[in-house]
Amino acid sequence: MGYKGSSENFLNKSDVSIGDTVLIEKNDVSYEGILLDRSEDADDGCIVLKLDSGYNIGVNINNATIGLIEKGDKPKISYKPVNIEYDDKKLDISIISTGGTVSSIIDYKTGAVHPVFTAEDLLRSNPELLDLANIDVKALYNILSENMKPEYWVNSAKSIADEVTSGADGVVVAHGTDTMHFTSAALSFMIKSPVPIVVTGAQRSSDRPSSDAHLNLINSVGAAKSEIAEVTVCMHSTLNDDYCDLHRGTKVRKMHTSRRDTFRSIDFEPLANVKEGKVSYLLNDFKKRNQEDLVLNNKIEEKVAIVKTYPGISSEIINYHIDKGYKGLLIEGTGLGHLPENLLDSIKRANQEEIAIVMTSQCIYGRVNMNVYSTGRKLLNAGIISGKDMIPEVAFVKLAWALGQSSNIEEVKNIIQTNLAGELNEKSSTKYFLN
């Protein structure tokens, strides 16, 4: 048990154990819930309750009383066996698991989330998926998304292509949320597909009643049955468990550390809403099912970095990447796409050494335009490539992919500034900006 010292004495005096339903009263406020274990390094004076709403709260025991309502067992996860029968009237959907919170549980000893489920456990914990489609599951990786690497994008794209070639009518990729928008962008450039490819995840693990994993998976399978044959991201639309938004894979970004509706379309709007596995189309400008043949092009250059400009930035940072043999740099500039003038010589050096540099903006919304001010024009003359209105993370991935196609700077520039997967808007619009 993670409780010790004062918190352990507090529980022992009332003969309360982990898993019991208890009532805590403090300062004329009462809390009823299940007593949970906690991490071993947690505050000694706090205990953790799971409320009926599904949320966990910490309560300081100072001036508090606790009473037993009902004895219970330590929370654990168990699943009934799943009877899988093939139905030729349903579509065949493949789920590829790469890990992340969507396929994770809580380690009550440490309080940490670990990706310990196999891909098959996604079916055991979400048997309703079988009501929507014939489901085939594969575990490609078992990692948290901060450990994602470009080489994993390459292998993920190959695995998806294999599933499509084998007859899958749609593919769902279970992924950690922290780098999901990097992966959705990479897959968007690497694969042209006749069927939907849907990336999904969860902000809260499957053993929590407040988890978003179940709804996201259900609606992602529904999206994989749709007519939208693009790479998309399917995640909670609101804080409630009502429906999901289906975002274009090159126009989406994680915007909050913990909210379940963290993913938002940037300078665009969702392609569709998905509720109970049923898709409601919001736009009709998307690639349709069976419109394109399967094409896999997953060559990528890994020696690409992101540099974020800031007041006082030194040219040493640009020179470092040149000296280390980087083939491309993605710059998050200020405003319309600016860098301090003290970096100009380093930018010119990079251009002379045929290192591609793409400019985006830290502003997230809006379009880079380096023709407005003199600094921007100097940067263009020094060889910087405008990233137009691409999200920085998308432009980073596209640059790495473009350098996998060609080492010629002019060809790379042409790829960067050509709309390939809906990553570029023809015109700017303020209507997408979040008020």
Coordinates of all heavy atoms in Angstrom, one line a residue, residues 310-378:
Y310 N 13.7 32.7 -30.3 CA 13.3 33.4 -29.1 C 14.3 34.7 -29.0 O 15.3 34.7 -29.6 CB 13.5 32.5 -27.9 CG 14.9 31.9 -27.8 CD1 15.9 32.5 -27.1 CD2 15.1 30.6 -28.4 CE1 17.2 31.9 -27.0 CE2 16.4 30.0 -28.3 CZ 17.4 30.7 -27.6 OH 18.6 30.1 -27.5
P311 N 13.9 35.6 -28.1 CA 14.7 36.8 -28.0 C 16.1 36.4 -27.5 O 16.2 35.7 -26.4 CB 14.0 37.7 -27.0 CG 12.5 37.2 -27.1 CD 12.6 35.8 -27.4
G312 N 17.1 36.8 -28.2 CA 18.5 36.5 -27.8 C 19.1 35.3 -28.3 O 20.2 34.8 -27.9
I313 N 18.3 34.6 -29.2 CA 18.8 33.3 -29.8 C 20.2 33.6 -30.5 O 20.4 34.6 -31.2 CB 17.8 32.7 -30.8 CG1 18.3 31.3 -31.2 CG2 17.5 33.6 -31.9 CD1 17.2 30.6 -32.1
S314 N 21.1 32.6 -30.3 CA 22.4 32.7 -30.9 C 22.5 32.0 -32.2 O 21.8 30.9 -32.4 CB 23.5 32.2 -29.9 OG 24.7 32.1 -30.6
S315 N 23.3 32.5 -33.1 CA 23.5 31.8 -34.4 C 24.2 30.5 -34.2 O 24.2 29.6 -35.1 CB 24.4 32.7 -35.3 OG 25.6 33.0 -34.8
E316 N 24.8 30.3 -33.0 CA 25.5 29.0 -32.7 C 24.5 27.8 -32.8 O 24.9 26.7 -33.2 CB 26.0 29.0 -31.3 CG 27.2 30.0 -31.1 CD 27.6 30.0 -29.6 OE1 27.0 29.4 -28.8 OE2 28.6 30.7 -29.3
I317 N 23.2 28.1 -32.6 CA 22.2 27.0 -32.7 C 22.1 26.5 -34.1 O 22.1 25.3 -34.4 CB 20.9 27.4 -32.1 CG1 21.0 27.7 -30.6 CG2 19.8 26.4 -32.4 CD1 19.8 28.2 -29.9
I318 N 22.0 27.4 -35.1 CA 21.9 27.1 -36.5 C 23.2 26.4 -36.9 O 23.2 25.3 -37.6 CB 21.6 28.3 -37.3 CG1 20.3 29.0 -36.9 CG2 21.5 27.9 -38.8 CD1 19.1 28.2 -37.0
N319 N 24.4 27.0 -36.5 CA 25.7 26.4 -36.9 C 25.9 25.1 -36.3 O 26.5 24.2 -37.0 CB 26.8 27.4 -36.5 CG 26.8 28.7 -37.3 OD1 26.5 28.7 -38.4 ND2 27.2 29.8 -36.6
Y320 N 25.4 24.8 -35.1 CA 25.5 23.5 -34.5 C 24.9 22.4 -35.4 O 25.5 21.4 -35.7 CB 24.8 23.5 -33.2 CG 24.7 22.1 -32.6 CD1 25.7 21.5 -31.9 CD2 23.5 21.4 -32.8 CE1 25.6 20.2 -31.3 CE2 23.3 20.1 -32.2 CZ 24.4 19.5 -31.5 OH 24.2 18.2 -31.0
H321 N 23.7 22.7 -35.9 CA 23.0 21.7 -36.7 C 23.7 21.5 -38.1 O 23.7 20.4 -38.6 CB 21.5 22.1 -36.9 CG 20.7 21.9 -35.7 ND1 20.5 22.9 -34.8 CD2 20.0 20.8 -35.2 CE1 19.7 22.5 -33.8 NE2 19.4 21.2 -34.0
I322 N 24.2 22.6 -38.6 CA 25.0 22.5 -39.8 C 26.2 21.6 -39.6 O 26.5 20.7 -40.4 CB 25.4 23.9 -40.4 CG1 24.2 24.7 -40.7 CG2 26.3 23.7 -41.6 CD1 24.5 26.2 -41.0
D323 N 26.9 21.9 -38.6 CA 28.2 21.1 -38.3 C 27.9 19.7 -38.0 O 28.7 18.8 -38.2 CB 28.9 21.8 -37.1 CG 29.4 23.2 -37.4 OD1 29.6 23.5 -38.6 OD2 29.6 23.9 -36.4
K324 N 26.7 19.4 -37.4 CA 26.4 18.0 -37.1 C 25.8 17.2 -38.3 O 25.4 16.1 -38.1 CB 25.4 18.0 -35.9 CG 26.0 18.4 -34.6 CD 27.1 17.4 -34.2 CE 27.7 17.8 -32.8 NZ 28.7 16.8 -32.4
G325 N 25.7 17.8 -39.4 CA 25.3 17.1 -40.6 C 23.8 17.0 -40.8 O 23.3 16.1 -41.5
Y326 N 23.0 17.9 -40.2 CA 21.5 17.9 -40.4 C 21.2 18.3 -41.8 O 21.8 19.2 -42.4 CB 20.8 18.8 -39.4 CG 20.6 18.1 -38.1 CD1 21.7 18.0 -37.2 CD2 19.4 17.6 -37.7 CE1 21.5 17.4 -35.9 CE2 19.2 17.0 -36.5 CZ 20.3 16.9 -35.6 OH 20.1 16.2 -34.4
K327 N 20.2 17.6 -42.4 CA 19.8 17.9 -43.8 C 18.7 18.9 -43.9 O 18.5 19.4 -45.0 CB 19.4 16.6 -44.4 CG 20.4 15.4 -44.3 CD 21.7 15.8 -45.0 CE 22.7 14.7 -45.0 NZ 24.0 15.0 -45.6
G328 N 18.0 19.2 -42.8 CA 16.9 20.1 -42.9 C 16.6 20.7 -41.5 O 16.8 20.0 -40.5
L329 N 16.1 21.9 -41.5 CA 15.7 22.6 -40.2 C 14.3 23.1 -40.4 O 14.0 23.8 -41.4 CB 16.6 23.7 -39.8 CG 18.0 23.3 -39.4 CD1 18.9 24.5 -39.1 CD2 18.0 22.4 -38.2
L330 N 13.4 22.9 -39.4 CA 12.1 23.6 -39.4 C 12.2 24.7 -38.4 O 12.5 24.4 -37.2 CB 11.0 22.5 -39.0 CG 9.6 23.0 -39.0 CD1 9.2 23.8 -37.9 CD2 9.2 23.7 -40.3
I331 N 12.0 25.9 -38.8 CA 12.1 27.0 -37.9 C 10.7 27.5 -37.5 O 9.8 27.7 -38.3 CB 12.7 28.2 -38.6 CG1 14.1 27.9 -39.1 CG2 12.8 29.4 -37.6 CD1 15.2 27.6 -38.0
E332 N 10.4 27.6 -36.2 CA 9.2 28.2 -35.6 C 9.6 29.7 -35.4 O 10.1 30.1 -34.4 CB 8.8 27.6 -34.3 CG 8.2 26.2 -34.5 CD 7.5 25.7 -33.3 OE1 7.1 26.5 -32.4 OE2 7.4 24.5 -33.1
G333 N 9.3 30.5 -36.4 CA 9.6 31.9 -36.3 C 8.6 32.7 -35.6 O 7.5 32.2 -35.2
T334 N 8.8 34.0 -35.4 CA 7.8 34.8 -34.8 C 6.9 35.4 -35.8 O 7.2 35.5 -37.0 CB 8.5 36.0 -34.0 OG1 9.3 36.7 -35.0 CG2 9.4 35.5 -32.9
G335 N 5.6 35.8 -35.4 CA 4.7 36.5 -36.2 C 4.5 35.9 -37.6 O 4.2 34.7 -37.8
L336 N 4.8 36.7 -38.6 CA 4.6 36.3 -40.0 C 5.7 35.4 -40.6 O 5.7 35.0 -41.7 CB 4.5 37.5 -40.9 CG 3.2 38.4 -40.7 CD1 3.3 39.7 -41.4 CD2 2.0 37.6 -41.2
G337 N 6.7 35.1 -39.7 CA 7.8 34.2 -40.1 C 9.1 35.0 -40.1 O 9.7 35.2 -41.1
H338 N 9.5 35.3 -38.9 CA 10.7 36.1 -38.7 C 11.7 35.5 -37.8 O 11.4 34.7 -36.9 CB 10.4 37.5 -38.2 CG 9.5 38.3 -39.1 ND1 8.5 39.2 -38.6 CD2 9.4 38.4 -40.5 CE1 7.9 39.7 -39.7 NE2 8.4 39.2 -40.8
L339 N 13.0 35.9 -38.1 CA 14.1 35.5 -37.2 C 14.9 36.8 -36.9 O 14.9 37.7 -37.8 CB 15.0 34.5 -37.9 CG 14.6 33.0 -38.0 CD1 15.6 32.2 -38.9 CD2 14.4 32.4 -36.7
P340 N 15.7 36.8 -35.8 CA 16.6 37.9 -35.6 C 17.6 38.0 -36.7 O 18.1 37.0 -37.2 CB 17.2 37.6 -34.3 CG 16.3 36.7 -33.6 CD 15.7 35.9 -34.7
E341 N 18.0 39.2 -37.1 CA 18.9 39.4 -38.2 C 20.3 38.8 -37.9 O 21.1 38.6 -38.9 CB 19.0 40.9 -38.6 CG 17.7 41.4 -39.2 CD 18.0 42.8 -39.8 OE1 19.1 43.3 -39.8 OE2 16.9 43.4 -40.2
N342 N 20.7 38.6 -36.7 CA 22.0 38.0 -36.4 C 22.1 36.6 -36.8 O 23.2 36.0 -36.8 CB 22.3 38.1 -34.9 CG 21.4 37.3 -34.0 OD1 20.2 37.7 -33.9 ND2 21.9 36.3 -33.4
L343 N 21.0 36.0 -37.2 CA 21.0 34.6 -37.7 C 21.2 34.5 -39.3 O 21.3 33.4 -39.8 CB 19.7 33.8 -37.3 CG 19.4 33.7 -35.9 CD1 18.2 32.8 -35.7 CD2 20.6 33.1 -35.1
L344 N 21.1 35.7 -39.9 CA 21.1 35.7 -41.4 C 22.4 35.0 -42.0 O 22.2 34.2 -42.9 CB 21.0 37.1 -41.9 CG 19.6 37.7 -42.1 CD1 19.7 39.1 -42.5 CD2 18.9 36.9 -43.2
D345 N 23.5 35.3 -41.4 CA 24.7 34.7 -42.0 C 24.7 33.1 -41.9 O 25.1 32.4 -42.8 CB 26.0 35.2 -41.3 CG 26.3 36.6 -41.7 OD1 25.8 37.1 -42.8 OD2 27.0 37.3 -41.0
S346 N 24.2 32.6 -40.8 CA 24.1 31.2 -40.6 C 23.0 30.6 -41.5 O 23.2 29.5 -42.0 CB 23.7 30.9 -39.1 OG 24.7 31.3 -38.2
I347 N 22.0 31.3 -41.8 CA 20.9 30.8 -42.7 C 21.5 30.8 -44.1 O 21.3 29.8 -44.9 CB 19.7 31.8 -42.7 CG1 19.0 31.8 -41.3 CG2 18.7 31.3 -43.8 CD1 18.5 30.4 -40.9
K348 N 22.3 31.8 -44.5 CA 23.0 31.8 -45.8 C 24.0 30.6 -45.9 O 24.0 30.0 -47.0 CB 23.7 33.1 -46.0 CG 22.8 34.3 -46.2 CD 23.6 35.6 -46.3 CE 22.7 36.8 -46.5 NZ 23.4 38.1 -46.5
R349 N 24.7 30.4 -44.8 CA 25.6 29.2 -44.8 C 24.9 27.9 -45.0 O 25.3 27.1 -45.8 CB 26.4 29.2 -43.5 CG 27.4 28.1 -43.4 CD 27.9 27.9 -42.0 NE 28.6 26.6 -41.9 CZ 28.9 25.9 -40.8 NH1 28.6 26.5 -39.6 NH2 29.5 24.8 -40.8
A350 N 23.8 27.7 -44.4 CA 23.0 26.5 -44.5 C 22.5 26.4 -46.0 O 22.6 25.3 -46.5 CB 21.8 26.5 -43.6
N351 N 22.1 27.5 -46.6 CA 21.6 27.4 -47.9 C 22.8 27.0 -48.9 O 22.6 26.2 -49.8 CB 21.0 28.8 -48.3 CG 20.4 28.7 -49.7 OD1 19.5 27.9 -50.0 ND2 20.8 29.6 -50.6
Q352 N 23.9 27.6 -48.6 CA 25.1 27.3 -49.5 C 25.5 25.8 -49.4 O 26.0 25.2 -50.3 CB 26.3 28.1 -49.1 CG 26.1 29.6 -49.4 CD 27.1 30.5 -48.8 OE1 27.9 30.1 -48.0 NE2 27.1 31.8 -49.2
E353 N 25.3 25.2 -48.2 CA 25.6 23.8 -48.0 C 24.4 22.9 -48.3 O 24.4 21.7 -47.9 CB 26.1 23.6 -46.5 CG 27.4 24.4 -46.3 CD 28.0 24.0 -45.0 OE1 27.8 22.8 -44.5 OE2 28.8 24.8 -44.4
E354 N 23.4 23.5 -49.0 CA 22.2 22.7 -49.4 C 21.4 22.0 -48.3 O 21.0 20.9 -48.4 CB 22.6 21.7 -50.5 CG 23.1 22.4 -51.8 CD 23.3 21.4 -52.9 OE1 23.4 20.2 -52.7 OE2 23.3 21.9 -54.1
I355 N 21.3 22.8 -47.2 CA 20.4 22.3 -46.1 C 19.1 23.1 -46.2 O 19.1 24.3 -46.2 CB 21.1 22.6 -44.7 CG1 22.5 21.9 -44.6 CG2 20.2 22.3 -43.6 CD1 23.3 22.3 -43.4
A356 N 18.0 22.4 -46.3 CA 16.7 23.0 -46.5 C 16.2 23.5 -45.1 O 16.2 22.8 -44.1 CB 15.7 21.9 -47.0
I357 N 15.8 24.8 -45.2 CA 15.2 25.4 -44.0 C 13.8 25.9 -44.3 O 13.6 26.7 -45.3 CB 16.1 26.6 -43.5 CG1 17.5 26.1 -43.2 CG2 15.5 27.2 -42.3 CD1 18.4 27.2 -42.6
V358 N 12.8 25.5 -43.5 CA 11.4 25.8 -43.8 C 11.0 26.7 -42.6 O 11.2 26.4 -41.4 CB 10.5 24.6 -43.9 CG1 9.1 25.0 -44.0 CG2 11.0 23.7 -45.1
M359 N 10.3 27.8 -42.9 CA 9.8 28.7 -41.9 C 8.3 28.5 -41.6 O 7.5 28.5 -42.6 CB 10.0 30.2 -42.4 CG 9.4 31.2 -41.5 SD 10.3 31.3 -39.9 CE 11.8 32.1 -40.4
T360 N 8.0 28.4 -40.4 CA 6.6 28.4 -39.9 C 6.5 29.4 -38.8 O 7.4 30.1 -38.5 CB 6.1 27.0 -39.4 OG1 7.0 26.6 -38.3 CG2 6.2 26.0 -40.5
S361 N 5.3 29.6 -38.2 CA 5.1 30.6 -37.2 C 4.7 29.9 -35.9 O 4.0 28.9 -35.8 CB 4.0 31.6 -37.6 OG 3.7 32.5 -36.5
Q362 N 5.2 30.5 -34.8 CA 4.8 30.1 -33.5 C 3.4 30.4 -33.1 O 2.8 29.8 -32.2 CB 5.7 30.8 -32.4 CG 7.2 30.5 -32.6 CD 8.0 31.4 -31.7 OE1 7.5 32.0 -30.8 NE2 9.3 31.4 -31.9
C363 N 2.7 31.2 -34.0 CA 1.4 31.6 -33.7 C 0.3 30.5 -33.8 O -0.8 30.7 -33.4 CB 1.0 32.8 -34.6 SG 2.0 34.3 -34.3
I364 N 0.7 29.4 -34.5 CA -0.2 28.3 -34.7 C -1.3 28.6 -35.8 O -1.4 28.0 -36.8 CB -0.9 27.8 -33.4 CG1 0.1 27.4 -32.4 CG2 -1.8 26.6 -33.8 CD1 1.1 26.4 -32.8
Y365 N -2.1 29.6 -35.5 CA -3.1 30.0 -36.5 C -2.5 31.1 -37.5 O -1.7 31.9 -37.1 CB -4.4 30.6 -35.8 CG -5.2 29.6 -35.1 CD1 -4.9 29.2 -33.8 CD2 -6.3 29.0 -35.8 CE1 -5.7 28.2 -33.2 CE2 -7.0 28.0 -35.2 CZ -6.8 27.6 -33.9 OH -7.5 26.7 -33.3
G366 N -3.0 31.1 -38.7 CA -2.6 32.1 -39.7 C -1.5 31.6 -40.6 O -1.1 30.4 -40.6
R367 N -1.0 32.5 -41.5 CA -0.1 32.1 -42.6 C 1.2 32.9 -42.5 O 1.2 34.1 -42.2 CB -0.8 32.4 -43.9 CG 0.0 32.1 -45.1 CD -0.9 32.5 -46.4 NE -2.0 31.7 -46.5 CZ -2.1 30.6 -47.2 NH1 -1.1 30.2 -47.9 NH2 -3.2 29.9 -47.3
V368 N 2.3 32.2 -42.8 CA 3.6 32.8 -42.9 C 3.6 33.7 -44.2 O 3.1 33.3 -45.2 CB 4.7 31.8 -43.0 CG1 6.0 32.4 -43.5 CG2 4.9 31.1 -41.6
N369 N 4.0 34.9 -44.0 CA 4.2 35.8 -45.2 C 5.4 36.7 -45.0 O 5.4 37.7 -44.2 CB 3.0 36.7 -45.3 CG 3.0 37.5 -46.6 OD1 4.1 37.6 -47.3 ND2 1.9 38.1 -47.0
M370 N 6.5 36.3 -45.6 CA 7.8 37.0 -45.4 C 8.1 38.1 -46.4 O 9.2 38.6 -46.4 CB 8.9 35.9 -45.4 CG 8.9 35.0 -44.2 SD 10.3 33.8 -44.2 CE 9.7 32.7 -45.5
N371 N 7.0 38.5 -47.1 CA 7.1 39.6 -48.0 C 6.7 40.9 -47.4 O 6.8 42.0 -48.1 CB 6.3 39.3 -49.3 CG 7.0 38.2 -50.2 OD1 8.2 38.3 -50.5 ND2 6.3 37.2 -50.5
V372 N 6.1 40.9 -46.2 CA 5.6 42.1 -45.6 C 6.6 43.0 -45.1 O 6.6 44.2 -45.3 CB 4.6 41.7 -44.5 CG1 4.0 43.0 -43.9 CG2 3.4 40.9 -45.1
Y373 N 7.6 42.4 -44.3 CA 8.6 43.3 -43.7 C 10.0 42.9 -44.3 O 10.2 41.9 -44.8 CB 8.6 43.0 -42.2 CG 7.3 43.4 -41.5 CD1 6.4 42.5 -41.0 CD2 7.1 44.8 -41.3 CE1 5.2 42.9 -40.4 CE2 5.9 45.2 -40.6 CZ 5.0 44.2 -40.2 OH 3.8 44.6 -39.6
S374 N 10.9 43.9 -44.1 CA 12.2 43.7 -44.7 C 13.0 42.5 -44.1 O 13.7 41.8 -44.9 CB 13.1 45.0 -44.4 OG 13.2 45.2 -43.0
T375 N 12.8 42.2 -42.8 CA 13.4 41.0 -42.3 C 13.0 39.7 -43.0 O 13.8 38.9 -43.3 CB 13.1 40.8 -40.8 OG1 13.6 42.0 -40.1 CG2 13.7 39.6 -40.2
G376 N 11.7 39.6 -43.3 CA 11.2 38.5 -44.0 C 11.8 38.4 -45.4 O 12.2 37.3 -45.9
R377 N 11.9 39.5 -46.1 CA 12.5 39.5 -47.4 C 13.9 39.1 -47.4 O 14.4 38.3 -48.3 CB 12.2 40.8 -48.1 CG 10.8 41.1 -48.4 CD 10.6 42.4 -49.3 NE 11.0 43.6 -48.6 CZ 10.2 44.3 -47.9 NH1 8.9 44.0 -47.7 NH2 10.6 45.5 -47.3
K378 N 14.7 39.5 -46.4 CA 16.1 39.1 -46.3 C 16.2 37.6 -46.1 O 17.1 36.9 -46.6 CB 16.7 39.8 -45.1 CG 16.9 41.3 -45.4 CD 17.5 42.0 -44.2 CE 17.7 43.5 -44.4 NZ 18.2 44.2 -43.2

